[in-house]
Amino acid sequence: MELALVIIVVAFALGFDYTNGFHDAANAIATSVSTRALTPRAALIMAAVFNLVGALLGTQVATTIAEDIINVGGVSSQEALIIVLSGLIGAISWNLITWWLGLPSSSTHALIGGLTGAGIAANVTVYWGAILDKVVIPMILSPVVGFSLAFALMVGVLWLVRNSAPARTMRRFRLAQTASAAAMALGHGLQDAQKTMGVIMLALIAGGFYNQGDAIPLWVKLSAATAISLGTYSGGWRIMRTLGRKIIELDPARGFVAESVAASVLYASAYWLHAPISTTHTITSAIMGVGATKRLSAVRWGVAKNIGTAWVLTIPMAALVAACVYWILNPILT
Protein backbone atom coordinates (compact mmCIF):
# COMPACT_ATOMS: atom_id res chain seq x y z
CA MET A 1 0.00 0.00 0.00
CA GLU A 2 2.80 2.43 0.88
CA LEU A 3 4.65 1.78 -2.38
CA ALA A 4 1.44 2.40 -4.32
CA LEU A 5 0.90 5.66 -2.42
CA VAL A 6 4.48 6.78 -3.15
CA ILE A 7 3.93 6.13 -6.85
CA ILE A 8 0.63 8.05 -6.77
CA VAL A 9 2.21 10.99 -4.94
CA VAL A 10 5.13 11.14 -7.39
CA ALA A 11 2.66 11.02 -10.30
CA PHE A 12 0.62 13.87 -8.81
CA ALA A 13 3.81 15.83 -8.12
CA LEU A 14 4.82 15.55 -11.77
CA GLY A 15 1.25 16.46 -12.72
CA PHE A 16 1.58 19.60 -10.60
CA ASP A 17 4.91 20.30 -12.29
CA TYR A 18 3.23 20.00 -15.69
CA THR A 19 0.42 22.40 -14.72
CA ASN A 20 3.08 24.73 -13.32
CA GLY A 21 4.76 24.67 -16.72
CA PHE A 22 1.72 25.63 -18.78
CA HIS A 23 0.37 27.92 -16.04
CA ASP A 24 3.63 29.84 -15.72
CA ALA A 25 4.91 29.59 -19.31
CA ALA A 26 3.64 33.12 -19.79
CA ASN A 27 6.04 34.33 -17.10
CA ALA A 28 9.00 33.68 -19.33
CA ILE A 29 7.69 34.58 -22.78
CA ALA A 30 4.63 36.87 -22.64
CA THR A 31 6.65 40.06 -22.99
CA SER A 32 8.77 38.68 -25.85
CA VAL A 33 5.71 37.48 -27.74
CA SER A 34 3.70 40.66 -27.15
CA THR A 35 6.54 42.83 -28.50
CA ARG A 36 7.03 40.41 -31.42
CA ALA A 37 10.63 39.76 -30.44
CA LEU A 38 9.83 36.04 -30.76
CA THR A 39 7.05 34.07 -32.39
CA PRO A 40 4.85 32.19 -29.92
CA ARG A 41 6.09 28.75 -30.95
CA ALA A 42 9.76 29.75 -30.98
CA ALA A 43 9.32 31.37 -27.57
CA LEU A 44 7.69 28.24 -26.13
CA ILE A 45 10.46 25.98 -27.45
CA MET A 46 13.14 28.26 -26.05
CA ALA A 47 11.34 28.53 -22.70
CA ALA A 48 10.96 24.74 -22.48
CA VAL A 49 14.67 24.18 -23.15
CA PHE A 50 15.83 26.77 -20.62
CA ASN A 51 13.33 25.54 -18.03
CA LEU A 52 14.96 22.13 -18.39
CA VAL A 53 18.46 23.56 -17.97
CA GLY A 54 17.46 25.78 -15.04
CA ALA A 55 15.88 22.86 -13.20
CA LEU A 56 19.25 21.08 -13.10
CA LEU A 57 21.28 24.02 -11.78
CA GLY A 58 20.61 23.75 -8.06
CA THR A 59 18.69 22.14 -5.19
CA GLN A 60 18.52 24.89 -2.56
CA VAL A 61 14.84 25.68 -3.12
CA ALA A 62 13.99 21.96 -3.26
CA THR A 63 15.56 21.47 0.16
CA THR A 64 13.44 24.29 1.58
CA ILE A 65 10.23 22.66 0.30
CA ALA A 66 11.24 19.18 1.49
CA GLU A 67 12.41 20.15 4.98
CA ASP A 68 11.21 23.63 6.02
CA ILE A 69 7.42 23.73 5.46
CA ILE A 70 5.91 20.81 7.39
CA ASN A 71 7.26 17.91 9.46
CA VAL A 72 5.65 14.56 8.70
CA GLY A 73 8.11 12.58 10.84
CA GLY A 74 5.69 12.18 13.72
CA VAL A 75 3.02 10.25 11.79
CA SER A 76 2.93 6.90 10.00
CA SER A 77 4.38 6.64 6.53
CA GLN A 78 0.94 6.09 5.07
CA GLU A 79 -0.55 9.18 6.69
CA ALA A 80 2.48 11.27 5.72
CA LEU A 81 1.98 10.31 2.09
CA ILE A 82 -1.72 11.21 2.30
CA ILE A 83 -0.73 14.64 3.65
CA VAL A 84 1.63 15.26 0.74
CA LEU A 85 -0.94 13.97 -1.79
CA SER A 86 -3.63 16.24 -0.33
CA GLY A 87 -1.30 19.23 -0.55
CA LEU A 88 -0.59 18.51 -4.20
CA ILE A 89 -4.28 18.15 -5.07
CA GLY A 90 -4.97 21.50 -3.38
CA ALA A 91 -2.19 23.18 -5.39
CA ILE A 92 -3.21 21.61 -8.70
CA SER A 93 -6.85 22.59 -8.17
CA TRP A 94 -5.99 26.25 -7.60
CA ASN A 95 -3.59 26.25 -10.57
CA LEU A 96 -6.35 24.99 -12.86
CA ILE A 97 -8.93 27.46 -11.52
CA THR A 98 -6.67 30.49 -12.00
CA TRP A 99 -5.47 29.23 -15.41
CA TRP A 100 -9.08 28.95 -16.55
CA LEU A 101 -9.76 32.50 -15.36
CA GLY A 102 -6.58 33.77 -17.02
CA LEU A 103 -5.13 35.05 -13.74
CA PRO A 104 -1.34 34.79 -13.24
CA SER A 105 -1.40 33.47 -9.68
CA SER A 106 1.55 31.79 -7.98
CA SER A 107 2.09 28.05 -8.37
CA THR A 108 4.71 28.38 -5.63
CA HIS A 109 2.26 29.72 -3.10
CA ALA A 110 -0.40 27.24 -4.21
CA LEU A 111 1.99 24.41 -3.37
CA ILE A 112 3.05 25.90 -0.05
CA GLY A 113 -0.59 26.65 0.82
CA GLY A 114 -1.58 23.09 -0.07
CA LEU A 115 1.13 21.52 2.09
CA THR A 116 0.36 23.87 4.97
CA GLY A 117 -3.40 23.23 4.80
CA ALA A 118 -2.93 19.46 4.71
CA GLY A 119 -0.45 19.71 7.59
CA ILE A 120 -2.90 21.70 9.71
CA ALA A 121 -5.72 19.25 8.95
CA ALA A 122 -3.48 16.34 9.96
CA ASN A 123 -2.27 18.16 13.09
CA VAL A 124 1.42 17.80 12.22
CA THR A 125 4.11 20.38 12.87
CA VAL A 126 4.03 23.36 10.52
CA TYR A 127 7.21 25.45 10.53
CA TRP A 128 5.57 28.86 10.80
CA GLY A 129 8.89 30.60 11.42
CA ALA A 130 10.40 29.23 8.21
CA ILE A 131 7.21 30.02 6.29
CA LEU A 132 7.39 33.61 7.54
CA ASP A 133 11.08 33.99 6.70
CA LYS A 134 11.22 32.08 3.41
CA VAL A 135 7.69 32.50 2.03
CA VAL A 136 5.71 35.41 3.48
CA ILE A 137 8.49 38.02 3.65
CA PRO A 138 9.83 37.18 0.14
CA MET A 139 6.19 37.15 -1.10
CA ILE A 140 5.87 40.76 0.04
CA LEU A 141 9.36 41.93 -0.88
CA SER A 142 9.80 40.35 -4.33
CA PRO A 143 7.02 42.39 -6.02
CA VAL A 144 8.25 45.57 -4.31
CA VAL A 145 11.83 44.90 -5.40
CA GLY A 146 10.72 43.88 -8.90
CA PHE A 147 8.62 47.04 -9.36
CA SER A 148 11.25 49.40 -7.92
CA LEU A 149 14.23 47.97 -9.79
CA ALA A 150 12.32 47.79 -13.07
CA PHE A 151 11.15 51.40 -12.70
CA ALA A 152 14.64 52.67 -11.84
CA LEU A 153 16.39 50.67 -14.58
CA MET A 154 13.83 51.72 -17.17
CA VAL A 155 14.33 55.38 -16.26
CA GLY A 156 18.10 54.86 -16.73
CA VAL A 157 17.62 53.12 -20.09
CA LEU A 158 15.33 55.89 -21.36
CA TRP A 159 17.95 58.48 -20.40
CA LEU A 160 20.73 56.55 -22.16
CA VAL A 161 18.83 56.19 -25.45
CA ARG A 162 17.17 59.62 -25.36
CA ASN A 163 19.11 60.83 -28.44
CA SER A 164 19.06 57.52 -30.37
CA ALA A 165 16.95 56.78 -33.42
CA PRO A 166 13.74 55.13 -32.09
CA ALA A 167 13.37 52.50 -34.83
CA ARG A 168 16.98 51.29 -34.61
CA THR A 169 16.88 51.32 -30.77
CA MET A 170 13.71 49.22 -30.60
CA ARG A 171 15.13 46.77 -33.15
CA ARG A 172 18.17 46.26 -30.91
CA PHE A 173 16.03 45.78 -27.82
CA ARG A 174 13.89 43.28 -29.71
CA LEU A 175 17.03 41.23 -30.35
CA ALA A 176 18.15 41.64 -26.73
CA GLN A 177 14.79 40.27 -25.58
CA THR A 178 15.77 36.84 -26.87
CA ALA A 179 18.49 36.75 -24.20
CA SER A 180 16.31 38.24 -21.44
CA ALA A 181 13.48 35.79 -22.15
CA ALA A 182 15.96 32.90 -22.00
CA ALA A 183 17.25 34.23 -18.67
CA MET A 184 13.70 34.44 -17.35
CA ALA A 185 12.96 30.85 -18.45
CA LEU A 186 16.18 29.66 -16.79
CA GLY A 187 15.13 31.36 -13.56
CA HIS A 188 11.67 29.79 -13.76
CA GLY A 189 13.19 26.32 -14.07
CA LEU A 190 15.64 27.08 -11.26
CA GLN A 191 12.79 28.09 -8.95
CA ASP A 192 9.68 26.14 -9.91
CA ALA A 193 11.00 22.73 -10.97
CA GLN A 194 12.97 22.56 -7.73
CA LYS A 195 9.72 22.85 -5.76
CA THR A 196 8.47 19.66 -7.36
CA MET A 197 11.77 17.95 -6.59
CA GLY A 198 11.28 18.93 -2.96
CA VAL A 199 7.77 17.44 -2.84
CA ILE A 200 8.94 14.18 -4.42
CA MET A 201 11.77 13.97 -1.90
CA LEU A 202 9.27 14.63 0.91
CA ALA A 203 7.22 11.66 -0.34
CA LEU A 204 10.26 9.42 -0.72
CA ILE A 205 11.45 10.26 2.80
CA ALA A 206 7.94 9.64 4.18
CA GLY A 207 7.84 6.28 2.41
CA GLY A 208 11.17 5.26 3.91
CA PHE A 209 13.12 5.21 0.64
CA TYR A 210 15.45 8.06 1.62
CA ASN A 211 16.52 9.77 4.83
CA GLN A 212 16.27 13.44 5.80
CA GLY A 213 19.26 15.29 4.41
CA ASP A 214 20.00 12.81 1.58
CA ALA A 215 21.00 14.30 -1.76
CA ILE A 216 18.25 14.56 -4.34
CA PRO A 217 18.74 11.67 -6.80
CA LEU A 218 19.32 12.37 -10.48
CA TRP A 219 16.10 10.67 -11.61
CA VAL A 220 14.05 13.07 -9.46
CA LYS A 221 15.82 16.08 -10.98
CA LEU A 222 15.37 14.79 -14.54
CA SER A 223 11.71 13.85 -14.13
CA ALA A 224 10.82 17.22 -12.58
CA ALA A 225 12.79 19.10 -15.22
CA THR A 226 11.14 17.14 -18.03
CA ALA A 227 7.61 17.59 -16.67
CA ILE A 228 7.91 21.36 -16.32
CA SER A 229 9.46 21.62 -19.79
CA LEU A 230 6.63 19.64 -21.38
CA GLY A 231 4.11 21.78 -19.53
CA THR A 232 5.84 24.95 -20.70
CA TYR A 233 5.82 23.75 -24.31
CA SER A 234 2.08 23.11 -24.16
CA GLY A 235 1.65 26.85 -23.55
CA GLY A 236 -0.40 29.11 -21.37
CA TRP A 237 -2.16 31.40 -23.80
CA ARG A 238 -4.84 32.73 -21.44
CA ILE A 239 -2.32 34.02 -18.91
CA MET A 240 0.03 35.16 -21.67
CA ARG A 241 -2.63 37.58 -22.91
CA THR A 242 -3.03 39.01 -19.40
CA LEU A 243 0.69 39.57 -18.84
CA GLY A 244 1.55 40.63 -22.38
CA ARG A 245 -1.35 42.92 -23.23
CA LYS A 246 -3.85 43.59 -20.46
CA ILE A 247 -1.53 45.10 -17.83
CA ILE A 248 0.19 47.46 -20.28
CA GLU A 249 1.09 47.59 -23.97
CA LEU A 250 4.79 46.73 -23.88
CA ASP A 251 7.51 47.85 -26.25
CA PRO A 252 10.79 45.89 -26.71
CA ALA A 253 12.80 48.13 -24.36
CA ARG A 254 10.33 47.75 -21.52
CA GLY A 255 9.99 44.03 -22.19
CA PHE A 256 13.77 43.58 -22.02
CA VAL A 257 14.08 45.52 -18.75
CA ALA A 258 11.14 43.71 -17.11
CA GLU A 259 12.53 40.27 -17.99
CA SER A 260 16.09 41.15 -16.97
CA VAL A 261 15.03 42.47 -13.57
CA ALA A 262 12.69 39.55 -12.87
CA ALA A 263 15.36 36.98 -13.81
CA SER A 264 17.90 38.68 -11.52
CA VAL A 265 15.49 38.58 -8.57
CA LEU A 266 14.80 34.87 -9.21
CA TYR A 267 18.51 34.00 -9.27
CA ALA A 268 19.26 35.96 -6.10
CA SER A 269 16.36 34.33 -4.26
CA ALA A 270 17.35 30.80 -5.28
CA TYR A 271 21.10 31.00 -4.68
CA TRP A 272 21.35 33.57 -1.89
CA LEU A 273 18.12 33.29 0.14
CA HIS A 274 17.13 29.71 -0.82
CA ALA A 275 13.60 31.16 -0.89
CA PRO A 276 10.84 29.70 -3.12
CA ILE A 277 9.54 33.01 -4.46
CA SER A 278 6.85 33.42 -7.10
CA THR A 279 8.00 33.91 -10.68
CA THR A 280 4.51 35.26 -11.36
CA HIS A 281 4.71 37.96 -8.69
CA THR A 282 8.18 38.96 -9.81
CA ILE A 283 7.58 39.36 -13.55
CA THR A 284 4.15 40.95 -13.09
CA SER A 285 5.49 43.59 -10.71
CA ALA A 286 8.43 44.24 -13.07
CA ILE A 287 6.02 44.78 -15.96
CA MET A 288 4.07 47.25 -13.81
CA GLY A 289 7.34 48.99 -12.91
CA VAL A 290 8.44 49.56 -16.50
CA GLY A 291 4.90 50.55 -17.43
CA ALA A 292 4.76 53.19 -14.73
CA THR A 293 7.67 55.04 -16.40
CA LYS A 294 5.27 56.09 -19.17
CA ARG A 295 2.80 57.44 -16.64
CA LEU A 296 1.00 55.80 -13.74
CA SER A 297 -2.26 55.75 -15.68
CA ALA A 298 -0.59 53.68 -18.43
CA VAL A 299 -0.81 50.64 -16.15
CA ARG A 300 -4.28 49.11 -16.14
CA TRP A 301 -4.66 49.06 -12.39
CA GLY A 302 -8.03 47.31 -12.55
CA VAL A 303 -6.35 44.26 -14.07
CA ALA A 304 -3.55 44.59 -11.50
CA LYS A 305 -6.17 44.62 -8.74
CA ASN A 306 -7.68 41.33 -10.01
CA ILE A 307 -4.21 39.77 -10.11
CA GLY A 308 -3.54 41.03 -6.58
CA THR A 309 -6.75 39.45 -5.37
CA ALA A 310 -5.63 36.10 -6.80
CA TRP A 311 -2.26 36.51 -5.04
CA VAL A 312 -3.92 37.12 -1.68
CA LEU A 313 -6.32 34.19 -2.06
CA THR A 314 -3.81 31.63 -3.35
CA ILE A 315 -2.33 30.34 -0.08
CA PRO A 316 -5.58 30.18 1.94
CA MET A 317 -7.67 28.71 -0.91
CA ALA A 318 -5.09 26.04 -1.79
CA ALA A 319 -4.80 25.28 1.94
CA LEU A 320 -8.59 24.94 2.28
CA VAL A 321 -8.87 22.57 -0.68
CA ALA A 322 -5.93 20.49 0.59
CA ALA A 323 -7.46 20.25 4.09
CA CYS A 324 -10.81 19.09 2.66
CA VAL A 325 -9.05 16.51 0.48
CA TYR A 326 -7.14 15.22 3.51
CA TRP A 327 -10.35 14.86 5.55
CA ILE A 328 -11.85 12.85 2.68
CA LEU A 329 -8.85 10.67 1.83
CA ASN A 330 -7.50 9.87 5.29
CA PRO A 331 -10.48 7.72 6.45
CA ILE A 332 -10.54 5.94 3.09
CA LEU A 333 -6.83 5.13 2.77
CA THR A 334 -5.92 4.41 6.39
Side-chain angles (χ1 to χ4, degrees), residues 66-282:
E67 299 179 2
D68 295 343
I69 305 300
I70 59 174
N71 180 5
V72 294
V75 297
S76 68
S77 297
Q78 195 166 326
E79 186 173 359
L81 290 167
I82 294 170
I83 292 169
V84 178
L85 178 60
S86 301
L88 284 167
I89 293 174
I92 291 170
S93 300
W94 187 248
N95 267 1
L96 293 176
I97 290 168
T98 50
W99 167 79
W100 180 255
L101 295 174
L103 292 175
S105 68
S106 169
S107 296
T108 301
H109 297 150
L111 177 59
I112 291 168
L115 290 174
T116 303
I120 293 171
N123 199 30
V124 300
T125 299
V126 177
Y127 296 121
W128 296 110
I131 290 174
L132 176 64
D133 292 341
K134 294 190 176 182
V135 179
V136 176
I137 292 176
M139 179 177 72
I140 296 169
L141 288 181
S142 59
V144 174
V145 171
F147 184 96
S148 303
L149 283 180
F151 183 90
L153 184 58
M154 193 66 227
V155 169
V157 168
L158 290 173
W159 185 83
L160 286 173
V161 301
R162 66 192 184 283
N163 296 322
S164 303
R168 179 182 298 176
T169 300
M170 288 303 159
R171 190 160 54 246
R172 289 173 177 171
F173 275 115
R174 190 171 282 116
L175 289 173
Q177 265 200 282
T178 304
S180 62
M184 185 66 200
L186 193 75
H188 181 245
L190 181 66
Q191 275 279 343
D192 286 44
Q194 280 197 51
K195 294 153 195 168
T196 300
M197 296 177 203
V199 173
I200 293 175
M201 277 302 291
L202 189 59
L204 294 172
I205 292 168
F209 293 94
Y210 288 90
N211 297 314
Q212 195 90 3
D214 283 353
I216 297 174
L218 181 61
W219 71 266
V220 172
K221 295 179 183 179
L222 290 175
S223 59
T226 301
I228 201 169
S229 296
L230 291 174
T232 298
Y233 184 72
S234 70
W237 307 110
R238 293 172 182 269
I239 294 169
M240 198 181 301
R241 284 194 294 271
T242 299
L243 280 179
R245 294 289 183 186
K246 291 185 179 179
I247 295 175
I248 186 173
E249 294 289 337
L250 287 169
D251 55 53
R254 285 178 170 81
F256 169 76
V257 170
E259 289 172 336
S260 300
V261 167
S264 300
V265 173
L266 291 176
Y267 298 153
S269 297
Y271 285 120
W272 180 35
L273 300 176
H274 303 171
I277 68 166
S278 168
T279 55
T280 306
H281 288 199
T282 307

